[in-house]
C-alpha cells in the first residue's frame, strides 16, 4: 500500500455528519467511488460508481466489512491507515476485489469521525496508471538483471515470465525458442512458470479436439499470422486451458521467440496486450540479445572444438601479447596454456634469443601475409622449429597460426647434408688428384732423402730440402682433409663466427681447383673485399661449392671456358658484402629463370643433379639475413650472393 499527498481538490475540510446527505447527493453525480463505514468497518453506504468501476452493487457491499475486499498483501497497511484516522490531506493505494474476483488498484482519501463513529472515504480506480508505473519499474529491473545475469538466461527468463503473470494475472506463461521448430513441435521452451515440466510437455503433445484447438495449433497460427493472437473459450474442466494469448517477439527484423500466456480469469483482450507493449518490447530485446549472445557463444565453442583438433597451433593475443586463448595443439606442443603465458612475459618465455624475439614480436603484430620461421622454447626447455603466420582481427587483436616444422627441418638438414655429399662427389676426382700429387712428391722426396742417407758422403742440405718438401706437402694434404671434414659436418645450429671471406673462398678452391684445371677451365678469383664477415663458414662454403659445380657443368667441354669468383663491398650498402659467381656458359633461358630456385627443379640430365642445390643455397643465405639471386642483366651467367658483414647478436 502506498501513501502520498492528495491532490489540491481533495484537501478541503469534510462536512460534519449533519451534511452527509449533501455529500451523498454530490457523489451520486460523480464517477468517483464514495462509501461510508461504521466503527467496525462494515459498509453503510456506497454510491453507484462502484458498480461502474468495480461491478459491485450496493447489496454486494453494504453490511460487509471492507476487509473482505482487500488483497491479503495490502490488508495490514489498509487497517493501519484506517486506525490512524487518515485525513483527506493524504492518500494511499491498495488492491480491491471486483465483482469477478480480480483485483483493481484504488487510490483512497477519507477520514473517520470519532464522534459519529463513522468513516467517510473517496476512491478512484488507478489500475492502469499503477500498472504503467509498475511496468516501467519491471522493465528497468529486467534490463538491470540482464546486464547482471546475462550469463544465466534461465534465471532471467523466469523473472520475465513472473513479471508477465504479475501484470496479466494469468495462470501460466511460456517462452518458446522458435529457432528449433520441427514438424512435431514449435520449439523448446526457454523458460516456463505456472506449469511443471510434465504439464508443459503434455500441453505440447495434446492434439486439437472438436471443441478446442491445441496449444501447438494456436502457437503455429500465431507465427503464421505474425501478430498477437487471442483465444478465449468457455470454462470447461476437460479443456487443458481456457484462454490463450500468443505474441511473436521480434529483435530488430528477426523473430527471437514466442510468448504464450494461459488462463486469465476474465480472458484476454487486445487492450491488455497493448498495455503491456513496453514489457513485451523489452522482453523481445532481451530474448534477442540472449539469442545473439548464445549463438556467438555456440560459434565460439564450435570454433574452439574445431581449432583444438587442427594439426596447427593457434593463439589469440593483443598488442601487449596478453594471450586470450590457445588451442589444444599449441598447449600440447609448447606445453603452455594461455593462462601460463598471461602470468609471465610471453615473448621472453617463447623466444629465447633476444634478436629473434624482437623479430618475432614485430612480425606477430604485422598482420603480414607471409610465413616466417622462428624457434620456440617449450616448457621442457627444448627448441621447436615453427613456421608462423599472423592474422589481424577487426577488433584489433591478432591470431597467430604456427606449424611444427621440426620434421621438415630434419628432412631439410638431411637434404643439405646429402647435397654437400653430392657436391663432394662431383669434386671427388679433382680432390683425389689434389691429394695424389702431394703424395707423389712426398714419396719422391722420401726416396731421395733415403738415398742420400745411404751414401758414404751424405749431402745434408739435400736431405733438409727433401724433408721441408715432405712437410709442406703433408700440410697441403692435411688442409684438404680438414676442409673435407669441415665441409661434411652439420653446422646448422652453430653460432655465427667472424671469419675472413678470403679463407672461406680459399678452402673451397682447395677442393675445386684441380677439377677445373684438369678440364682446361680457367678459374678466376678477384678479392676486392677479403675481410671478416659474421657467418657459419661451412654453410657459405657449401653455397659457393654448389655455384661452382653448376658453373663447371655449364662450361664443361666448351672452348675458352672460364668461371670467376669476385668478392667486393656491396655497391648499395657499405655494411654488406657482394659475392659473384659467373661463367661463360650458354646462360639460363628467360622462361625458366623464375623456377631455378624451386626445390627439385633442374636443367641437368637425369642422374646428374638433384635439383636441390640452388634451393638449399637460397635457404642458407636467407638464414644469414642475405639474398641469393640471378643477375639477368649481366653479360655472363651470374649468380649474386649479398650478405651483411655483421649479424645482430644483441
Amino acid at each position: 500500500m502506498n501513501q502520498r499527498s492528495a491532490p489540491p481538490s481533495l484537501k478541503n475540510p469534510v462536512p460534519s455528519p449533519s451534511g452527509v446527505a449533501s455529500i451523498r447527493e454530490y457523489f451520486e453525480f460523480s464517477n468517483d467511488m464514495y462509501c461510508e463505514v461504521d466503527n467496525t468497518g462494515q459498509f453503510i453506504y456506497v454510491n453507484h460508481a462502484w458498480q461502474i468501476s468495480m461491478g459491485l452493487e450496493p447489496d454486494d457491499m453494504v453490511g460487509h466489512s471492507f476487509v473482505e475486499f482487500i488483497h491479503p498483501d495490502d490488508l495490514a497497511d489498509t487497517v493501519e491507515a484506517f486506525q490512524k484516522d487518515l485525513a483527506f490531506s493524504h492518500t494511499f493505494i491498495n488492491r480491491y476485489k471486483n465483482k469477478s474476483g480480480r483485483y483493481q488498484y484504488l487510490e483512497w482519501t477519507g477520514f473517520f469521525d470519532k464522534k459519529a463513529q463513522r468513516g467517510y472515504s473517496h476512491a478512484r480506480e488507478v489500475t492502469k496508471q499503477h500498472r504503467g508505473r509498475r511496468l516501467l519499474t519491471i522493465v528497468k529491473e529486467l534490463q538491470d538483471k540482464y546486464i547482471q545475469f546475462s550469463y544465466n538466461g534461465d534465471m532471467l527468463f523466469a523473472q520475465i515470465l513472473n513479471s508477465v503473470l504479475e501484470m496479466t494475472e494469468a495462470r501460466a506463461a511460456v517462452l518458446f525458442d522458435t529457432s528449433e521448430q520441427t514438424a512435431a513441435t514449435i520449439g523448446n521452451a526457454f523458460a516456463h512458470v505456472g506449469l511443471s515440466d510434465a504439464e508443459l510437455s503434455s500441453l505440447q503433445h495434446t492434439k486439437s479436439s472438436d471443441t478446442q484447438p491445441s496449444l501447438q495449433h494456436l502457437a503455429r497460427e500465431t507465427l503464421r499470422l505474425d501478430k498477437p493472437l487471442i483465444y478465449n473459450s468457455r470454462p470447461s474442466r476437460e479443456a487443458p486451458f481456457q484462454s490463450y494469448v500468443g505474441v511473436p517477439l521480434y529483435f530488430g527484423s528477426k523473430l527471437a521467440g514466442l510468448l504464450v500466456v494461459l488462463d486469465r480469469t476474465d480472458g484476454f483482450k487486445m487492450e491488455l496486450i497493448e498495455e503491456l507493449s513496453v514489457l513485451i518490447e523489452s522482453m523481445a530485446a532481451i530474448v534477442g540479445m540472449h539469442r545473439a549472445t548464445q549463438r556467438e557463444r555456440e560459434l565460439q565453442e564450435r570454433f574452439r572444438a574445431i581449432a583444438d583438433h587442427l594439426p596447427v597451433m593457434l593463439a589469440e593475443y593483443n598488442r601487449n601479447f596478453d594471450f586470450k586463448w590457445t588451442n589444444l595443439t599449441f598447449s600440447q606442443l609448447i606445453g603452455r596454456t594461455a593462462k601460463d603465458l598471461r602470468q609471465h612475459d610471453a615473448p621472453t618465455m617463447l623466444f629465447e634469443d633476444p634478436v629473434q624475439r624482437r623479430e618475432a614480436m614485430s612480425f606477430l603484430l604485422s598482420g603480414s601475409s607471409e610465413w616466417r620461421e622462428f624457434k620456440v622454447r617449450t616448457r621442457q626447455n627444448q627448441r621447436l622449429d615453427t613456421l608462423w603466420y599472423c592474422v589481424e582481427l577487426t577488433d584489433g587483436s591478432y591470431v597467430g597460426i604456427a606449424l611444427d616444422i621440426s620434421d621438415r627441418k630434419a628432412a631439410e638438414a638431411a637434404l643439405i647434408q646429402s647435397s654437400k655429399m653430392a657436391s663432394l662427389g662431383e669434386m671427388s676426382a679433382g680432390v683425389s688428384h689434389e691429394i695424389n700429387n702431394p703424395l707423389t712428391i712426398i714419396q719422391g722426396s722420401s726416396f731421395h732423402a733415403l738415398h742420400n742417407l745411404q751414401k758414404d758422403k751424405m749431402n745434408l742440405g739435400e736431405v733438409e730440402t727433401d724433408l721441408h718438401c715432405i712437410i709442406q706437402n703433408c700440410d697441403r694434404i692435411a688442409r684438404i682433409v680438414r676442409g673435407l671434414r669441415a665441409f661434411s659436418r652439420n653446422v646448422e645450429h652453430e653460432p655465427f663466427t667472424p671469419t675472413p671471406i678470403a679463407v672461406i673462398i680459399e678452402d673451397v678452391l682447395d677442393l675445386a681447383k684441380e677439377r677445373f684445371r684438369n678440364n682446361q677451365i680457367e678459374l678466376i678469383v678477384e678479392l676486392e673485399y677479403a675481410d671478416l664477415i659474421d657467418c657459419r663458414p661451412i654453410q657459405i662454403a657449401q653455397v659457393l661449392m654448389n655455384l661452382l659445380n653448376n658453373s663447371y657443368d655449364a662450361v664443361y667441354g666448351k672452348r675458352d671456358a672460364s668461371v670467376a669468383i669476385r668478392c667486393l663491398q656491396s655497391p648499395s650498402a657499405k655494411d654488406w658484402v657482394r659475392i659473384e659467381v659467373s661463367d661463360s656458359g650458354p646462360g639460363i633461358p628467360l622462361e625458366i629463370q623464375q623456377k631455378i630456385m624451386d626445390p627439385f627443379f633442374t636443367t641437368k640430365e637425369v642422374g646428374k643433379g638433384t635439383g636441390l642445390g640452388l634451393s638449399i643455397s637460397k635457404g642458407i643465405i636467407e638464414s644469414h639475413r642475405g639474398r641469393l639471386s640471378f643477375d639477368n642483366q649481366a653479360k655472363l651467367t651470374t649468380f649474386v650472393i649479398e650478405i651483411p658483414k655483421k649479424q645482430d647478436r644483441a
Side-chain angles (χ1 to χ4, degrees), residues 206-315:
T206 299
K207 297 182 179 180
S208 299
S209 67
D210 295 337
T211 58
Q212 185 178 32
S214 67
L215 177 64
Q216 287 290 328
H217 174 81
L218 290 171
R220 289 186 182 281
E221 189 67 10
T222 304
L223 295 176
R224 186 187 68 80
L225 295 173
D226 198 24
K227 64 180 182 179
L229 176 65
I230 290 175
Y231 169 80
N232 294 309
S233 67
R234 295 178 179 178
S236 171
R237 291 184 179 180
E238 291 76 19
F241 56 89
Q242 311 298 328
S243 54
Y244 161 99
V245 61
V247 183
L249 302 177
Y250 275 89
F251 181 57
S253 59
K254 293 185 177 180
L255 183 66
L258 175 67
L259 170 65
V260 170
V261 187
L262 301 174
D263 291 341
R264 185 171 185 263
T265 305
D266 292 344
F268 294 104
K269 297 180 181 179
M270 193 56 68
E271 290 81 359
L272 178 64
I273 306 304
E274 294 171 354
E275 185 180 331
L276 299 179
S277 60
V278 175
L279 176 60
I280 291 171
E281 290 173 5
S282 179
M283 185 189 314
I286 291 174
V287 172
M289 288 186 286
H290 172 78
R291 282 279 302 280
T293 303
Q294 187 180 46
R295 191 178 299 112
E296 181 180 355
R297 188 180 296 117
E298 290 172 354
L299 289 174
Q300 287 178 350
E301 291 174 354
R302 184 178 303 174
F303 169 76
R304 296 283 175 85
I306 295 172
D308 280 342
H309 290 84
L310 290 175
V312 300
M313 292 176 279
L314 297 172

Side-chain angles (χ1 to χ4, degrees), residues 285-552:
I286 291 174
V287 172
M289 288 186 286
H290 172 78
R291 282 279 302 280
T293 303
Q294 187 180 46
R295 191 178 299 112
E296 181 180 355
R297 188 180 296 117
E298 290 172 354
L299 289 174
Q300 287 178 350
E301 291 174 354
R302 184 178 303 174
F303 169 76
R304 296 283 175 85
I306 295 172
D308 280 342
H309 290 84
L310 290 175
V312 300
M313 292 176 279
L314 297 172
E316 184 179 351
Y317 52 90
N318 60 19
R319 294 196 66 84
N320 297 322
F321 288 97
D322 295 325
F323 280 71
K324 184 177 179 181
W325 66 272
T326 56
N327 73 337
L328 186 61
T329 305
F330 186 102
S331 302
Q332 289 175 339
L333 290 175
I334 307 300
R336 302 188 187 278
T337 64
K339 183 179 179 180
D340 297 332
L341 296 172
R342 284 196 299 270
Q343 292 174 345
H344 301 84
D345 180 11
T348 302
M349 182 178 287
L350 295 174
F351 306 104
E352 182 180 24
D353 179 66
V355 176
Q356 190 186 63
R357 186 185 310 142
R358 289 199 299 270
E359 292 178 354
M361 291 173 68
S362 175
F363 175 77
L364 293 176
L365 296 178
S366 66
S368 172
S369 58
E370 299 179 353
W371 290 83
R372 288 282 297 276
E373 291 185 18
F374 298 105
K375 284 189 179 297
V376 175
R377 179 169 54 182
T378 68
R379 182 183 286 275
Q380 294 74 29
N381 211 31
Q382 297 175 338
R383 306 302 178 270
L384 189 69
D385 289 302
T386 57
L387 185 64
W388 286 81
Y389 187 87
C390 171
V391 178
E392 184 174 5
L393 304 180
T394 55
D395 63 357
S397 59
Y398 298 84
V399 171
I401 305 169
L403 301 173
D404 175 11
I405 57 171
S406 301
D407 292 341
R408 196 194 82 180
K409 295 295 285 187
E412 286 179 355
L415 285 174
I416 290 173
Q417 196 69 9
S418 174
S419 177
K420 285 196 292 187
M421 295 301 101
S423 297
L424 285 176
E426 293 179 20
M427 294 289 182
S428 60
V431 170
S432 62
H433 194 275
E434 189 71 10
I435 292 176
N436 191 54
N437 281 346
L439 283 175
T440 302
I441 294 171
I442 289 170
Q443 186 180 38
S445 297
S446 299
F447 283 136
H448 189 265
L450 183 62
H451 179 72
N452 265 316
L453 291 173
Q454 291 174 347
K455 289 180 180 181
D456 293 335
K457 294 182 179 180
M458 290 185 295
N459 188 337
L460 294 178
E462 290 183 1
V463 172
E464 183 179 1
T465 300
D466 289 335
L467 291 176
H468 278 299
C469 183
I470 290 171
I471 292 171
Q472 288 174 354
N473 281 278
C474 283
D475 287 343
R476 183 180 176 188
I477 292 172
R479 189 171 66 249
I480 293 171
V481 172
R482 187 168 56 249
L484 286 171
R485 289 177 62 188
F487 189 75
S488 61
R489 193 174 77 250
N490 188 349
V491 296
E492 181 185 3
H493 300 297
E494 292 186 3
F496 295 111
T497 56
T499 308
I501 186 64
V503 172
I504 298 173
I505 293 175
E506 182 181 349
D507 287 344
V508 171
L509 293 178
D510 280 340
L511 299 175
K513 62 186 178 183
E514 190 66 26
R515 183 187 186 208
F516 281 77
R517 186 186 302 123
N518 291 341
N519 290 282
Q520 292 77 48
I521 300 173
E522 183 182 8
L523 191 56
I524 303 167
V525 180
E526 297 179 4
L527 300 179
E528 295 182 19
Y529 181 87
D531 292 341
L532 300 174
I533 63 170
D534 282 349
C535 66
R536 297 186 182 100
I538 302 304
Q539 287 189 331
I540 300 300
Q542 179 182 356
V543 174
L544 292 174
M545 184 72 78
N546 284 336
L547 295 177
L548 286 174
N549 278 339
N550 288 344
S551 292
Y552 174 89

Side-chain angles (χ1 to χ4, degrees), residues 561-582:
S562 65
V563 175
I565 298 180
R566 297 180 178 86
C567 184
L568 61 154
Q569 183 170 287
S570 175
S572 58
K574 64 179 182 179
D575 53 350
W576 282 56
V577 174
R578 180 183 175 97
I579 305 171
E580 299 176 354
V581 178
S582 57

Side-chain angles (χ1 to χ4, degrees), residues 578 596-597 618 627-631 638-642:
R578 180 183 175 97
I596 55 177
M597 301 285 183
K618 182 173 182 289
R627 297 180 292 271
L628 173 63
S629 60
F630 174 70
D631 186 356
T638 302
F639 284 87
V640 178
I641 300 169
E642 292 178 294

